[in-house]
Amino acid sequence: MNKDIKYFGIDISHLVFDVTDSDGNYYQFTNNVSGFRKFIKLLDSNSHCVMEATGYYHYQLAYYLFENGKKVSVENPLSVKRFIQMGLSKIKTDKSDSKLICAYAGQVELTLWKGSSKQVQECLQITRTLSVYTKQRTMIKNKLHGESVLGEPSKAVVKSLKRSLKQLDKEMKTLEDQLLIIVKESHQDLFSRIKTIPGIGRKTAIMLIVLTGGFERFSSAGELCSYAGLTPVIRQSGSSVKGRPRISKMGNQKLRNLLFMCSFTACKYNKACRDIYERIVAKGKSKKLALIAVCNKLLKQAFAIAKSGLIFDQEYKSTLVKN
């Protein structure tokens, strides 16, 4: 821990944010500009604020601190969670969380947060809205199916549901078109190269670029796989208790789901992915485990292409991606 730096661990919720500093002092402020102004009075040039990326809630405070010249780090919740778990703390309150975040800040190498461009912010807002619409679309389709099971479904209800479904499709198409425009403006070359990977289509290429910040947020393929929640977790205690290896599922669920859907096509047309799938299945492992390995391979291929500036080549895959 740098003794000259005073860390402020911040735990943010919808209405308030809790703060614990390096001296153990605890504060609570409202999560709005009024609360931000009161909090910033506690800070000086040696202050360093640390918070978790908590969906929407952390953005306003992070930008307020950044724009006022204060040091701020926005950490991956998974990293903080692992630190808390290692601390074996059984207390679960906002106050204890801010205290643990402060302790975390003093023991890891922090990266200063620089915010996101307006393009990145808009892309993230669009993807979140598309996610909401996708869930609504599924609910409506399930409702339509349920109505069709009835002997005499209400015509008014069916027409209403179909109108809603049509409107959702229209809204989703508009947002998807806008997302494509933004990605092409900011990452045209990368977008074109990622699409050369057999198994990755236009929508997945777009989401890969958006969710990874153009792959600039990651320094290694392993780090990216961990972010997607595709890294294996081994359950073992001593020499007697063992569990089947499984993926962590603690990363970005949307990215993981996209890759899993792509894995089916990749097994057919992507030679490296097909080889991995067949090799794992031949060993008697489950097909699901083989598909997860394919997801990892796809992500590593995308990372290699993004960092190398090359396009995908079946014949020279070994120079791009290591198994």
Side-chain angles (χ1 to χ4, degrees):
M1 180 185 289
N2 190 330
K3 295 181 179 179
D4 295 328
I5 298 177
K6 187 172 184 177
Y7 294 103
F8 290 79
I10 305 171
D11 187 77
I12 304 177
S13 61
H14 176 44
L15 299 176
V16 299
F17 64 96
D18 299 271
V19 180
T20 300
D21 63 26
S22 299
D23 298 327
N25 299 311
Y26 169 75
Y27 310 89
Q28 188 177 82
F29 304 94
T30 55
N31 192 11
N32 54 33
V33 176
S34 176
F36 302 163
R37 288 172 179 164
K38 292 177 182 178
F39 171 53
I40 207 168
K41 291 178 181 179
L42 301 175
L43 309 179
D44 57 30
S45 59
N46 292 321
S47 300
H48 192 146
C49 302
V50 183
M51 64 188 76
E52 295 176 289
T54 54
Y56 296 99
Y57 299 146
H58 73 279
Y59 275 109
Q60 281 189 303
L61 177 57
Y63 272 106
Y64 185 88
L65 294 171
F66 175 73
E67 290 170 358
N68 280 275
K70 304 302 180 184
K71 295 177 183 177
V72 56
S73 294
V74 180
E75 296 294 294
N76 187 327
L78 297 179
S79 300
V80 179
K81 182 178 181 179
R82 291 191 185 107
F83 176 84
I84 292 174
Q85 289 173 337
M86 289 175 64
L88 300 178
S89 175
K90 295 183 179 179
I91 302 172
K92 182 62 180 177
T93 65
D94 289 338
K95 182 176 179 178
S96 68
D97 278 354
S98 63
K99 183 178 180 180
L100 287 165
I101 292 171
C102 183
Y104 165 89
Q107 296 187 38
V108 302
E109 185 175 345
L110 299 169
T111 301
L112 289 177
W113 187 77
K114 298 179 180 180
S116 303
S117 67
K118 290 184 177 180
Q119 283 184 323
V120 172
Q121 290 183 60
E122 185 175 2
C123 283
L124 290 173
Q125 289 178 43
I126 290 174
T127 56
R128 289 174 183 139
T129 303
L130 284 170
S131 180
V132 171
Y133 285 168
T134 300
K135 291 177 182 177
Q136 290 178 349
R137 191 174 184 277
T138 300
M139 290 173 63
I140 292 173
K141 290 182 73 175
N142 289 340
K143 179 63 176 173
L144 269 170
H145 176 72
E147 292 297 323
S148 67
V149 173
L150 297 174
E152 295 182 2
S154 167
K155 292 182 180 180
V157 169
V158 171
K159 285 183 179 180
S160 177
L161 290 171
K162 287 184 176 180
R163 282 198 303 270
S164 296
L165 194 60
K166 186 176 181 180
Q167 183 61 33
L168 272 177
D169 288 341
K170 181 179 178 181
E171 294 296 334
M172 291 179 71
K173 178 67 166 55
T174 300
L175 288 178
E176 287 170 352
D177 288 346
Q178 180 61 24
L179 194 59
L180 178 60
I181 290 171
I182 297 172
V183 168
K184 282 187 173 181
E185 286 178 350
S186 57
H187 296 94
Q188 174 65 71
D189 178 61
L190 176 59
F191 175 63
S192 298
R193 287 187 286 110
I194 293 296
K195 286 195 300 176
T196 65
I197 301 174
I200 294 183
R202 189 186 74 169
K203 286 186 178 181
T204 303
I206 291 173
M207 295 309 299
L208 274 171
I209 291 170
V210 170
L211 295 174
T212 64
F215 293 86
E216 294 176 2
R217 292 170 50 195
F218 304 95
S219 58
S220 69
E223 187 180 342
L224 179 56
C225 289
S226 178
Y227 169 74
L230 290 168
T231 51
V233 174
I234 307 298
R235 292 175 289 174
Q236 182 171 333
S237 178
S239 59
S240 59
V241 181
K242 295 183 179 180
R244 293 172 61 186
R246 57 183 176 83
I247 58 172
S248 67
K249 292 187 179 181
M250 293 176 66
N252 190 296
Q253 184 180 14
K254 186 171 185 63
L255 181 55
R256 188 166 61 249
N257 290 344
L258 279 170
L259 289 166
F260 193 76
M261 295 303 296
C262 290
S263 66
F264 295 95
T265 304
C267 286
K268 294 181 180 180
Y269 304 107
N270 189 315
K271 186 177 184 301
C273 292
R274 184 171 63 249
D275 290 346
I276 286 178
Y277 179 84
E278 292 175 350
R279 184 166 66 245
I280 292 175
V281 172
K283 291 180 179 179
K285 303 294 184 180
S286 71
K287 291 182 179 180
K288 184 176 181 181
L289 182 64
L291 288 172
I292 290 170
V294 170
C295 292
N296 265 288
K297 188 66 173 179
L298 279 173
L299 206 49
K300 289 176 180 178
Q301 288 177 340
F303 182 85
I305 284 174
K307 297 300 183 179
S308 68
L310 302 174
I311 63 173
F312 184 84
D313 190 329
Q314 297 270 21
E315 299 301 320
Y316 294 94
K317 61 184 184 303
S318 59
T319 64
L320 292 175
V321 185
K322 294 182 180 180
N323 289 326

